[in-house]
Amino acid sequence: MDKATESRRLSDVVRKARIAAAEREDVVVEMRDADRARLELLADELEPVFKEVPAEDDQFDFFLSSGEQPRLWIDAIAHVQMGPDRRTYRFVRDTRYGRVVIAESADLMSVADSITHYVAERMVQRQRFLASDTVYSTGAPGSQADKSGGDQNETSPARQQGVNTISKTGALQALSWFALGLVVAALLIMAVFWEQLAPVLGAD
């Protein structure tokens, strides 16, 4: 057994001794120390997990805060705190609908596994978000930005020319229908008044 392993195990034993001492002595300060000691054990168990998180992924905090109720922060919205019995690990997350308990157990390893799964899910979500953001920013073929060729609020010369062409075509069609209507009206008038117009036109 190397010295590093002996040191690590000794520190675990010291923490457990502090927890046992706090449980024997019903003192608030000692109980807070016991909570912190338990959370330190959990932090040590999770340290290899957070070492594998890429350096560019800055969404995790992973630090142990002090105060009346020590907390092991995983990220800005999730942390672990000890339950009222001082033995139960409570892994919670703050949401827009309130605080949600993700995992709650007196078994350190079980809570560590839940936190590991949470970290993995957050990493996958970040990777998918970055991938989709890259697609939208570069302008995928067939996207609205690609079709418009730039800012949608600006009118390109080609588009303006197309609008002018459509307007001219519509005006010519309207004029053609108007002229056709005049011809048809004239023919109807001639048909109705043919007997009166025939002598004038010299028709038989």
Side-chain angles (χ1 to χ4, degrees), residues 99-168:
R99 181 163 293 177
V100 177
V101 178
I102 301 177
E104 188 172 21
S105 175
D107 182 19
L108 182 147
M109 299 303 296
S110 175
V111 176
D113 288 341
S114 297
I115 295 173
T116 302
H117 286 298
Y118 173 81
V119 171
E121 290 176 358
R122 290 297 303 272
M123 290 177 62
V124 171
Q125 290 174 359
R126 180 178 183 273
Q127 291 171 358
R128 295 180 63 181
F129 174 79
L130 292 177
S132 62
D133 186 61
T134 301
V135 171
Y136 287 124
S137 62
T138 55
S143 64
Q144 186 64 31
D146 185 64
K147 292 178 181 179
S148 62
D151 191 347
Q152 296 181 8
N153 294 327
E154 296 181 359
T155 302
S156 63
R159 179 177 295 181
Q160 185 63 44
Q161 182 178 359
V163 171
N164 294 337
T165 302
I166 294 174
S167 300
K168 293 178 180 179

Side-chain angles (χ1 to χ4, degrees), residues 46-88:
L46 291 170
E47 185 175 359
V49 175
F50 281 89
K51 282 184 177 180
E52 294 184 26
V53 176
E56 62 272 12
D57 192 343
D58 58 354
Q59 63 180 322
F60 301 105
D61 295 323
F62 195 59
F63 74 95
L64 185 58
S65 64
S66 303
E68 291 298 325
Q69 186 175 34
R71 297 177 178 181
L72 177 60
W73 290 92
I74 308 303
D75 56 25
I77 58 176
H79 67 271
V80 182
Q81 63 187 46
M82 301 308 300
D85 62 355
R86 306 286 180 173
R87 293 179 176 84
T88 302

